[in-house]
Amino acid sequence: MSKTSKPNWKNKLHEIIYEADTPEGKLFDVVLLIFILASIALVMLESVSTIDKKYHNILYIGEWIVTILFSIEYIARIITVNKPKKYILSFYGIIDLLSTVPMYLSFFFVGGHALVALRALRLLRVFRILKLARYLGASNKLAGAIKASRAKISVFLFAVIIAAIIFGTLMYLVEGEENGFNNIPKSVYWCIVTLTTVGFGDIAPQTPLGQLIATIIMIMGYGIIAVPTGIVSAEYTRSANKKDEENKTEPDKINLNSQNCQNCLTANHIDGAEYCYNCGHNLHIE
Amino acid sequence: MSKTSKPNWKNKLHEIIYEADTPEGKLFDVVLLIFILASIALVMLESVSTIDKKYHNILYIGEWIVTILFSIEYIARIITVNKPKKYILSFYGIIDLLSTVPMYLSFFFVGGHALVALRALRLLRVFRILKLARYLGASNKLAGAIKASRAKISVFLFAVIIAAIIFGTLMYLVEGEENGFNNIPKSVYWCIVTLTTVGFGDIAPQTPLGQLIATIIMIMGYGIIAVPTGIVSAEYTRSANKKDEENKTEPDKINLNSQNCQNCLTANHIDGAEYCYNCGHNLHIE
Amino acid sequence: MSKTSKPNWKNKLHEIIYEADTPEGKLFDVVLLIFILASIALVMLESVSTIDKKYHNILYIGEWIVTILFSIEYIARIITVNKPKKYILSFYGIIDLLSTVPMYLSFFFVGGHALVALRALRLLRVFRILKLARYLGASNKLAGAIKASRAKISVFLFAVIIAAIIFGTLMYLVEGEENGFNNIPKSVYWCIVTLTTVGFGDIAPQTPLGQLIATIIMIMGYGIIAVPTGIVSAEYTRSANKKDEENKTEPDKINLNSQNCQNCLTANHIDGAEYCYNCGHNLHIE
Amino acid sequence: MSKTSKPNWKNKLHEIIYEADTPEGKLFDVVLLIFILASIALVMLESVSTIDKKYHNILYIGEWIVTILFSIEYIARIITVNKPKKYILSFYGIIDLLSTVPMYLSFFFVGGHALVALRALRLLRVFRILKLARYLGASNKLAGAIKASRAKISVFLFAVIIAAIIFGTLMYLVEGEENGFNNIPKSVYWCIVTLTTVGFGDIAPQTPLGQLIATIIMIMGYGIIAVPTGIVSAEYTRSANKKDEENKTEPDKINLNSQNCQNCLTANHIDGAEYCYNCGHNLHIE
């Protein structure tokens, strides 16, 4: 571990960018949040042709301001981290890159600019900034419930997909191309639209037999929508009950802070932590 | 506190308007309820052009009767309350004003009359008049369950919105303007229509890739619809269990009456209360 | 009470029609069930114009056979019961009459025949014949859960309707007649279609502001769909838990038979009951 | 029982085809899984006319390879089983036959080829191959919950169908053929589309009265969607609680293997089982 291998300003910058405990760190997070929201608003407004025609220049300048700031942030993140490669290849690292590159690409490729919309993925950082996870509350009971029932729900959804393929094929045979069921993939798509009770209506069975099968699919969907809901609520009740039994005097809200270790990038440090629980690196070098 | 600063008839009127304990107060509430329902029926009928053509004059006269009565009620409420400003600026005060003003405005502005429909907001008063909250039952267990899970559901809905923005942007890139996904806001709107399993079908994916992504969105929506339901039912089961354990001999129905303090406008006084629990003002001055 | 006021054959007939304990009674129920299903199949087939054209005569004769048999049954039910007036004015009495009258009316009125479809209401008798209630299981726990949460769900649905009226009015103001929101009732109808996540798509918001409000309505609907589900499952879990605690050795299936008292028409007698629990009339007079 | 009546290679082959314990058996399962998925992909691609035009020959050859391999597998399954008749008439036996026959039929009948799509049913074997049931977890609690609530949900769905018939008939009378409600079966179909909150929108009420009834149907559907969900989640919570009380030290995952007895075709043998629990036949004859 190279605790002192970097000049002081790098440590300072790391503190600001990766941590939210210091006033500067909090300010950085708020500013970043505003710029992410602004950048998404820009992309949205630009996609509306009437607005784009009127304010094209303003939006274009806005785009470049956001892109340059995000680029600076991206470079700063790489410089201040001990293991830049790890950051670059991390989930957020790739998203951060994708939110700046398309703008530069638009010089060389005509269509490149459209990919600016990928910036929407940066919204995911909002979760980390706002520490939303903590509102999910009480020792992550909800997360536990979802985790506990994940395997079951997966198998369940898998069963839904198999049912959709079988019934979709059946509907293709029954309805045929003349009624909008052009091919089996489209039929399967329709079947999922129906099973999930979305029901766009762009394709709908026309023959009496097709409508009968559709009825069976819908009632099936009605019956099985109960299963994942039942699983989650039961798991949640269960973990809630366990908590009640252990009769803790509400030490439930563990304040996970938004710090990231400068050395190994691990997150989820407990509030007030001085050293990384993963690699032992000092979290507050100044 | 100015307990005796007002003449007797004002106190009497306050008793009738703001309280439901006396026979006159109950009668006032019933009459008010009928007039609110009648006023909404009038607005509805008027909006149906065939009915409006036939019975325009009758409906117009009805409108004015309702408007004048509501105006009188509004003025009476202001006069009889100790702190008129507080009432005027309160939620119900603003609604009460909005339900009378548009009719008068229609003298000066042509479009003003349409806003009469805002009167529909007065329906919210029905909750207070019918004391519906008490049917929600047993010590407001339901309210407790919703409150307890409010934060979690909020975060959850927040996650749904972020997912909608990301997938909406993706669909805009994949489907494009030629398939009805004109711009990103519209795409996000479509995405929420799909995630919530509403599925209007005014916009529907046409390309195979778009339909594949739509399938993922729908199955995701199918899986996550389980979460808020699970949370509410678990919280509700929990609070119900707690109640059972405390083994109360059913003193659950606390009869909250519909009185409002004349001085500070606080509601939710317990039945038979003589003084406001908030400011100590006498609730029954005669 | 006139236990012996009727001739023997009347008692015998009453036993067959109103009770299911004897072999003849069971046979009668099965035959009745078949005729009800056949009569509904007839009405359905007749409504399909292509089938009606081909087999009009057969269907017409079938109609008359069913009508005459139902008429005989109706008269027999009146004759064998001690208090005919009570039967005639009872729920099932009115349905039985409605399922025969339209056919006779078709002699005098041209449109009268269409009302034959009202016969579908006779399907409700299937519940009594098949004793379906008993499958709902274990001491009517489910019925208890629904009953216990009925008031709460009612208030909840009431809130949904008020929300629909307010948001429907708002959508009428925002979208207007040019986008299909012709009048407020239709707007409210659209709002309920959206809140319940049905989403026909025959009317859909076109303006950006309308789509924004629609988004709010849908997310609201998504959030509140959790509430009635949560209530029912919690109530059901609760009553199930109570049952478990009382630790009954499964005497849950009380065989309610399908007998009706000849005197007062009360149903739900326990298997093997000899006298009506309501009026003391002998249930098995032969 | 004829434990040694077959030559050694038959036993060997049976071991490979019907069991997954040996390396050869596992390999066979994986290869079979790949071929099933490939065969379904072929059918899907073939149904897309643009792809079929381009690659018709490749797809056609692929079809025949899959068909011949499935035929060989089918014959091998018949030969190696002690009671071929039982396999041939079993659920999977019929599916296996149906997935090969249509291809041969296409020599004699023109339309026969379309039935190749029936091969999609082979997907059901995926469940057995992947042993998905075990993920449903902890002593099949979920299966127990669904089983326990099956009768109740059936009655419930039965009630939904009766409601659909009654309301569908009503809508036919109210809306009539001019608004798309051509006949009662179609009306009933529309009613189920609405009750299950699917809402295609291909048929939608046009008259005010029809829209009012539709509103009632939708709110009813909204209210009753709570019931099956409530039942499943309550049953699941219950069985989960029971498990917790019995306080087992997690011996929950019983590794059911995918062996089938060579003699009686029974499945679900426990891992490491040497003899069939049903007929005593040796499971591992080599």
Side-chain angles (χ1 to χ4, degrees):
Chain A
M1 277 164 276
S2 52
K3 288 187 184 181
T4 52
S5 66
K6 289 189 299 181
N8 203 36
W9 64 267
K10 272 196 186 176
N11 282 327
K12 187 75 195 160
L13 205 60
H14 179 271
E15 185 92 6
I16 291 169
I17 295 173
Y18 286 95
E19 291 170 36
D21 286 8
T22 58
E24 295 94 341
K26 273 176 192 160
L27 185 70
F28 177 80
D29 275 358
V30 170
V31 171
L32 181 59
L33 185 57
I34 290 166
F35 271 99
I36 290 174
L37 295 177
S39 75
I40 287 163
L42 275 174
V43 168
M44 284 195 172
L45 291 174
E46 221 175 337
S47 76
V48 183
S49 55
T50 51
I51 294 174
D52 188 45
K53 266 176 202 159
K54 261 194 189 161
Y55 308 102
H56 184 75
N57 287 336
I58 298 167
L59 292 172
Y60 192 71
I61 292 164
E63 280 282 11
W64 273 111
I65 292 170
V66 165
T67 305
I68 288 163
L69 286 171
F70 281 0
S71 305
I72 292 168
E73 183 212 347
Y74 183 66
I75 291 162
R77 279 185 190 271
I78 291 176
I79 291 172
T80 58
V81 152
N82 273 359
K83 299 179 179 171
K85 211 175 160 184
K86 202 171 173 185
Y87 164 70
I88 291 168
L89 297 175
S90 73
F91 179 65
Y92 282 114
I94 291 165
I95 289 175
D96 289 353
L97 182 65
L98 283 177
S99 66
T100 56
V101 164
M103 206 61 193
Y104 298 113
L105 282 180
S106 67
F107 281 127
F108 310 104
F109 306 101
V110 176
H113 181 256
L115 295 170
V116 167
L118 286 174
R119 198 179 285 161
L121 287 168
R122 286 214 84 179
L123 262 183
L124 291 174
R125 207 174 262 279
V126 172
F127 274 96
R128 178 168 286 185
I129 294 173
L130 293 183
K131 301 183 197 175
L132 286 175
R134 89 163 52 161
Y135 289 100
L136 291 174
S139 305
N140 291 328
K141 260 184 310 196
L142 179 62
I146 293 175
K147 222 173 193 171
S149 44
R150 202 177 43 186
K152 286 163 212 166
I153 289 182
S154 299
V155 174
F156 189 74
L157 292 181
F158 192 71
V160 167
I161 291 169
I162 287 182
I165 292 176
I166 291 171
F167 276 100
T169 308
L170 199 60
M171 286 302 280
Y172 170 72
L173 293 178
V174 169
E175 289 281 327
E177 296 188 27
E178 64 274 20
N179 293 323
F181 293 77
N182 297 328
N183 49 56
I184 295 178
K186 202 170 183 183
S187 244
V188 171
Y189 158 74
W190 172 85
C191 207
I192 286 172
V193 168
T194 306
L195 264 177
T196 54
T197 76
V198 172
F200 285 128
D202 52 341
I203 316 164
Q206 301 299 327
T207 64
L209 184 57
Q211 291 178 343
L212 184 68
I213 297 169
T215 302
I216 293 165
I217 295 171
M218 283 181 284
I219 289 181
M220 213 170 75
Y222 198 70
I224 57 177
I225 212 171
V227 177
T229 311
I231 294 171
V232 172
S233 76
E235 290 289 344
Y236 192 76
T237 311
R238 222 176 144 194
S239 65
N241 283 345
K242 268 185 192 162
K243 271 270 106 57
D244 285 359
E245 280 163 24
E246 290 167 17
N247 212 347
K248 287 187 170 183
T249 54
E250 287 291 324
D252 278 341
K253 272 187 201 161
I254 296 166
N255 267 353
L256 296 169
N257 64 40
S258 65
Q259 277 177 291
N260 284 63
C261 173
Q262 195 173 357
N263 190 49
C264 68
L265 284 173
T266 317
N268 293 331
H269 299 283
I270 293 162
D271 254 7
E274 285 296 317
Y275 294 94
C276 174
Y277 68 85
N278 187 33
C279 69
H281 194 87
N282 194 335
L283 292 169
H284 299 271
I285 307 166
E286 301 196 41
Chain B
M1 276 165 277
S2 52
K3 286 187 185 182
T4 51
S5 66
K6 289 190 297 182
N8 204 35
W9 64 268
K10 272 197 185 175
N11 281 327
K12 187 75 194 157
L13 205 61
H14 180 271
E15 186 92 7
I16 292 169
I17 297 175
Y18 285 95
E19 291 171 35
D21 286 6
T22 58
E24 296 94 342
K26 272 176 191 159
L27 185 70
F28 176 82
D29 274 359
V30 170
V31 171
L32 181 59
L33 185 57
I34 290 166
F35 271 99
I36 290 174
L37 294 178
S39 76
I40 286 164
L42 275 174
V43 168
M44 284 196 172
L45 291 173
E46 221 175 334
S47 76
V48 184
S49 56
T50 51
I51 294 174
D52 188 45
K53 266 177 202 159
K54 262 194 188 161
Y55 308 102
H56 184 76
N57 287 336
I58 298 167
L59 292 172
Y60 192 71
I61 292 164
E63 281 283 10
W64 272 112
I65 293 170
V66 165
T67 304
I68 289 163
L69 286 172
F70 281 0
S71 305
I72 292 168
E73 182 211 348
Y74 183 67
I75 291 162
R77 278 183 191 271
I78 290 175
I79 291 171
T80 58
V81 152
N82 274 358
K83 300 180 179 170
K85 211 176 159 184
K86 201 171 173 186
Y87 164 71
I88 291 169
L89 296 176
S90 74
F91 179 65
Y92 283 113
I94 292 166
I95 289 175
D96 289 352
L97 181 66
L98 283 178
S99 66
T100 55
V101 163
M103 206 60 194
Y104 298 113
L105 281 180
S106 66
F107 281 128
F108 310 104
F109 305 102
V110 176
H113 181 255
L115 296 169
V116 167
L118 286 174
R119 199 179 285 161
L121 287 168
R122 286 214 85 179
L123 262 183
L124 290 173
R125 208 174 260 279
V126 172
F127 274 96
R128 178 169 287 184
I129 294 173
L130 294 183
K131 301 183 197 173
L132 286 175
R134 88 163 53 160
Y135 290 100
L136 290 175
S139 305
N140 291 328
K141 258 184 314 198
L142 179 62
I146 292 174
K147 221 172 193 171
S149 43
R150 201 178 43 186
K152 287 162 210 166
I153 290 182
S154 300
V155 174
F156 190 73
L157 292 181
F158 191 72
V160 167
I161 291 168
I162 288 183
I165 292 176
I166 292 171
F167 277 100
T169 308
L170 199 60
M171 286 302 279
Y172 170 72
L173 293 179
V174 168
E175 289 281 325
E177 295 187 29
E178 64 274 19
N179 294 321
F181 292 78
N182 297 328
N183 48 56
I184 295 177
K186 202 170 184 184
S187 243
V188 171
Y189 158 74
W190 172 86
C191 207
I192 285 171
V193 168
T194 306
L195 265 177
T196 54
T197 78
V198 172
F200 285 129
D202 52 341
I203 317 165
Q206 302 299 327
T207 63
L209 184 57
Q211 291 178 343
L212 184 68
I213 297 169
T215 302
I216 294 165
I217 295 171
M218 283 180 283
I219 289 182
M220 214 170 74
Y222 198 70
I224 56 177
I225 211 170
V227 177
T229 312
I231 294 171
V232 172
S233 76
E235 291 290 344
Y236 192 76
T237 311
R238 225 175 142 194
S239 66
N241 282 345
K242 268 185 192 161
K243 270 271 104 57
D244 284 359
E245 279 163 24
E246 290 167 17
N247 211 347
K248 287 189 170 182
T249 55
E250 287 292 323
D252 278 341
K253 272 186 201 162
I254 296 165
N255 266 353
L256 297 169
N257 63 41
S258 64
Q259 278 176 287
N260 284 64
C261 173
Q262 196 172 358
N263 190 49
C264 67
L265 284 171
T266 316
N268 293 330
H269 299 284
I270 292 162
D271 255 6
E274 285 295 318
Y275 294 94
C276 173
Y277 68 85
N278 188 33
C279 69
H281 194 86
N282 194 336
L283 293 170
H284 300 272
I285 308 164
E286 300 194 46
Chain C
M1 276 166 277
S2 53
K3 286 186 184 181
T4 52
S5 66
K6 288 189 301 181
N8 204 35
W9 65 267
K10 271 197 187 176
N11 281 327
K12 187 75 195 159
L13 205 61
H14 179 270
E15 184 92 7
I16 291 169
I17 295 174
Y18 285 95
E19 291 170 35
D21 286 7
T22 58
E24 297 94 342
K26 272 177 191 157
L27 186 69
F28 177 81
D29 274 359
V30 170
V31 171
L32 182 60
L33 185 57
I34 290 166
F35 271 100
I36 289 175
L37 294 177
S39 76
I40 286 163
L42 275 174
V43 168
M44 283 196 174
L45 291 173
E46 222 174 334
S47 77
V48 184
S49 55
T50 52
I51 294 174
D52 188 44
K53 265 176 201 159
K54 262 194 185 161
Y55 307 103
H56 184 76
N57 288 336
I58 299 167
L59 292 172
Y60 191 71
I61 292 164
E63 282 282 9
W64 272 112
I65 292 171
V66 165
T67 305
I68 289 163
L69 286 172
F70 280 1
S71 304
I72 293 168
E73 183 212 347
Y74 183 67
I75 291 161
R77 278 183 191 272
I78 290 174
I79 292 171
T80 58
V81 152
N82 274 359
K83 299 179 180 169
K85 210 174 160 186
K86 201 171 172 184
Y87 163 71
I88 291 167
L89 296 176
S90 74
F91 179 65
Y92 281 113
I94 291 166
I95 289 176
D96 290 352
L97 182 66
L98 283 178
S99 66
T100 55
V101 163
M103 205 61 193
Y104 299 113
L105 281 181
S106 67
F107 283 127
F108 310 103
F109 305 101
V110 177
H113 181 255
L115 295 170
V116 168
L118 286 174
R119 198 179 285 160
L121 287 168
R122 286 214 84 179
L123 262 183
L124 291 173
R125 206 175 262 279
V126 172
F127 274 96
R128 178 169 287 185
I129 294 174
L130 293 182
K131 302 182 196 175
L132 285 175
R134 88 163 53 160
Y135 290 100
L136 290 175
S139 304
N140 292 329
K141 257 184 314 196
L142 179 62
I146 293 173
K147 221 173 194 170
S149 43
R150 203 178 41 187
K152 287 163 210 167
I153 289 182
S154 300
V155 174
F156 189 74
L157 292 181
F158 192 71
V160 167
I161 291 168
I162 288 182
I165 292 177
I166 292 171
F167 277 101
T169 308
L170 198 60
M171 286 302 280
Y172 170 72
L173 293 179
V174 169
E175 289 280 325
E177 296 189 28
E178 64 275 19
N179 293 321
F181 293 77
N182 297 327
N183 49 56
I184 295 177
K186 201 170 183 182
S187 243
V188 171
Y189 158 75
W190 172 85
C191 207
I192 286 171
V193 168
T194 305
L195 264 177
T196 55
T197 78
V198 172
F200 285 129
D202 53 341
I203 317 164
Q206 302 299 326
T207 63
L209 184 58
Q211 291 177 343
L212 184 68
I213 297 169
T215 302
I216 293 164
I217 295 171
M218 284 180 283
I219 289 181
M220 214 171 74
Y222 198 70
I224 56 177
I225 211 171
V227 177
T229 312
I231 294 171
V232 172
S233 76
E235 290 290 344
Y236 193 76
T237 311
R238 225 175 141 193
S239 66
N241 282 345
K242 268 185 193 164
K243 271 269 105 54
D244 285 359
E245 279 162 25
E246 290 167 18
N247 211 347
K248 286 191 171 182
T249 54
E250 287 291 324
D252 278 341
K253 272 186 201 164
I254 296 165
N255 267 354
L256 297 169
N257 64 40
S258 64
Q259 278 177 288
N260 284 64
C261 174
Q262 197 171 356
N263 190 50
C264 68
L265 283 172
T266 317
N268 292 331
H269 298 284
I270 292 162
D271 255 5
E274 285 297 316
Y275 295 94
C276 174
Y277 69 84
N278 187 33
C279 68
H281 194 85
N282 194 335
L283 292 169
H284 300 271
I285 307 165
E286 299 195 44
Chain D
M1 276 165 277
S2 53
K3 285 187 185 182
T4 52
S5 68
K6 289 190 302 183
N8 203 36
W9 65 268
K10 272 196 185 175
N11 281 327
K12 187 75 194 159
L13 206 60
H14 180 272
E15 184 92 7
I16 291 169
I17 295 173
Y18 285 96
E19 292 170 35
D21 286 7
T22 58
E24 296 93 342
K26 273 176 193 159
L27 186 69
F28 177 82
D29 275 359
V30 170
V31 171
L32 181 59
L33 185 57
I34 290 166
F35 271 99
I36 289 174
L37 295 177
S39 75
I40 285 163
L42 275 174
V43 168
M44 284 196 173
L45 291 174
E46 221 174 335
S47 77
V48 183
S49 55
T50 52
I51 293 174
D52 189 44
K53 265 177 200 159
K54 262 194 186 161
Y55 308 102
H56 184 75
N57 287 335
I58 298 167
L59 293 172
Y60 191 71
I61 292 164
E63 281 282 10
W64 272 112
I65 292 171
V66 166
T67 305
I68 288 163
L69 287 172
F70 281 1
S71 305
I72 293 168
E73 183 212 347
Y74 183 66
I75 291 162
R77 279 184 191 272
I78 291 175
I79 290 172
T80 58
V81 153
N82 273 359
K83 299 179 179 169
K85 211 175 160 184
K86 200 170 173 185
Y87 164 70
I88 291 167
L89 297 176
S90 73
F91 179 65
Y92 281 113
I94 291 166
I95 289 175
D96 289 353
L97 183 65
L98 282 178
S99 66
T100 56
V101 163
M103 206 63 194
Y104 299 113
L105 282 180
S106 67
F107 282 127
F108 310 104
F109 306 101
V110 176
H113 181 256
L115 295 170
V116 168
L118 285 174
R119 198 179 285 161
L121 287 168
R122 286 214 85 180
L123 263 183
L124 290 174
R125 206 174 261 279
V126 172
F127 274 96
R128 178 169 287 184
I129 294 173
L130 293 183
K131 302 181 194 175
L132 286 176
R134 87 163 55 160
Y135 290 101
L136 290 175
S139 305
N140 292 328
K141 258 183 313 196
L142 180 62
I146 293 173
K147 221 172 193 170
S149 44
R150 203 177 42 187
K152 286 162 213 167
I153 290 182
S154 299
V155 174
F156 189 75
L157 291 181
F158 191 71
V160 166
I161 291 168
I162 288 182
I165 292 176
I166 291 171
F167 277 100
T169 308
L170 198 60
M171 286 302 280
Y172 170 71
L173 293 178
V174 169
E175 289 280 328
E177 296 188 27
E178 64 274 21
N179 293 322
F181 293 77
N182 297 327
N183 49 56
I184 295 178
K186 202 170 182 181
S187 244
V188 171
Y189 158 75
W190 172 85
C191 207
I192 286 172
V193 169
T194 306
L195 264 177
T196 54
T197 77
V198 172
F200 285 129
D202 52 342
I203 317 164
Q206 302 299 326
T207 63
L209 184 57
Q211 291 178 342
L212 184 68
I213 297 169
T215 301
I216 293 164
I217 295 171
M218 283 181 283
I219 288 181
M220 214 170 74
Y222 198 69
I224 57 178
I225 211 171
V227 177
T229 310
I231 294 171
V232 172
S233 76
E235 290 290 344
Y236 192 76
T237 311
R238 223 175 144 194
S239 66
N241 282 345
K242 268 185 193 164
K243 270 272 105 57
D244 285 359
E245 279 163 24
E246 290 168 17
N247 212 347
K248 287 189 170 181
T249 53
E250 288 290 325
D252 278 340
K253 272 186 200 162
I254 295 166
N255 267 352
L256 297 170
N257 65 41
S258 64
Q259 277 176 292
N260 283 63
C261 174
Q262 197 172 357
N263 190 48
C264 67
L265 282 173
T266 318
N268 292 332
H269 298 285
I270 292 162
D271 254 5
E274 285 297 316
Y275 294 94
C276 173
Y277 68 85
N278 187 32
C279 69
H281 194 86
N282 194 334
L283 291 170
H284 300 272
I285 307 164
E286 301 198 42

